[in-house]
Amino acid sequence: MSIAIIQVKEPLTEEKINMIESRLSQTNGIERALIDVKTGSIRVEYDGLKIVPELMMEALSKHGLESEELQNV
């Protein structure tokens, strides 16, 4: 299991949080996504054999959310 920290570059509304949780939970290889509303960061636990952080950020981008990877543990 790998962990990525992804930073969303805009304020998170309740609607956006729900969308992020929905999108990431439906993505093959993602085990868990925890959102820190105060910082706008998302801690994603994932299977590195099935997905990479770039694809997670691409999925968010398709829904209008700009993001960047801060850390890959």
Side-chain angles (χ1 to χ4, degrees):
M1 173 107 37
S2 299
I3 297 172
I5 308 296
I6 297 173
Q7 180 69 43
V8 176
K9 296 181 178 181
E10 58 190 85
L12 293 176
T13 62
E14 187 173 335
E15 180 180 336
K16 288 179 184 177
I17 291 168
N18 291 335
M19 185 275 299
I20 291 168
E21 290 175 341
S22 174
R23 288 289 134 211
L24 293 179
S25 68
Q26 294 174 13
T27 304
N28 187 30
I30 294 181
E31 302 294 325
R32 184 180 194 183
L34 301 170
I35 301 170
D36 185 329
V37 179
K38 291 181 183 178
T39 66
S41 64
I42 308 166
R43 182 179 192 269
V44 184
E45 297 176 11
Y46 66 98
D47 180 342
L49 297 175
K50 295 181 180 178
I51 191 166
V52 294
E54 290 79 13
L55 292 176
M56 297 175 213
M57 293 183 296
E58 186 178 302
L60 294 175
S61 178
K62 286 181 182 178
H63 295 281
L65 290 173
E66 294 286 325
S67 61
E68 65 182 341
E69 183 180 2
L70 294 181
Q71 184 178 10
N72 193 353
V73 182

